Amino acid sequence: MHENKRRTSGLPGGNSSGTCRWQMETFDYTKLESAPVEIHELQRDLEGISQKVLTDGLRQMMDDGLVHRHDYQEMPPRVDYSLTELGKKLLPIIDALADFGNYYKSVTAE
């Protein structure tokens, strides 16, 4: 099981030309790993991110097969997001990138 830590990484995604367009630099994947999460919870954790950037990012991750969106078809509207099996397979890679990023910061901060 992955330890509960902030994972720092550019997220997969891109436009039709294949260039990465993610605006988010940090994302706590553990929230999506453990249980479905509503968008307002994600937005609260990502200070300063706009609703549009978050929604666009989640849509791209859905297109990439990393995130699943569940619409409850209720009023008021309720939607939540969770990692797919493919998204869960990405977690060890993100952990390794975060570990390297933290190490890199520590050796270059001198």
Side-chain angles (χ1 to χ4, degrees):
M1 186 61 72
H2 302 280
E3 61 186 83
N4 189 12
K5 67 180 177 183
R6 173 71 87 203
R7 293 170 169 92
T8 305
S9 170
L11 299 174
N15 62 13
S16 58
S17 67
T19 59
C20 187
R21 292 247 178 201
W22 265 91
Q23 300 290 320
M24 297 168 22
E25 292 180 9
T26 61
F27 191 78
D28 189 357
Y29 285 91
T30 57
K31 278 201 172 284
L32 291 175
E33 177 186 20
S34 57
V37 178
E38 293 183 24
I39 195 164
H40 68 273
E41 294 176 56
L42 294 172
Q43 190 169 18
R44 182 178 52 232
D45 287 349
L46 295 165
E47 288 183 30
I49 192 167
S50 71
Q51 179 82 28
K52 180 185 180 341
V53 170
L54 180 57
T55 301
D56 289 349
L58 287 168
R59 282 189 186 133
Q60 184 62 55
M61 289 182 6
M62 289 183 327
D63 290 346
D64 293 339
L66 302 175
V67 171
H68 171 75
R69 178 182 189 266
H70 183 254
D71 185 344
Y72 289 89
Q73 300 293 319
E74 297 176 349
M75 282 309 224
R78 183 168 70 116
V79 175
D80 62 33
Y81 297 87
S82 59
L83 288 178
T84 63
E85 287 304 311
L86 182 61
K88 290 176 184 177
K89 296 275 188 195
L90 190 60
L91 292 173
I93 297 164
I94 294 168
D95 283 336
L97 288 170
D99 290 342
F100 176 78
N102 291 330
Y103 168 75
Y104 183 78
K105 282 183 195 174
S106 71
V107 298
T108 59
E110 300 165 359

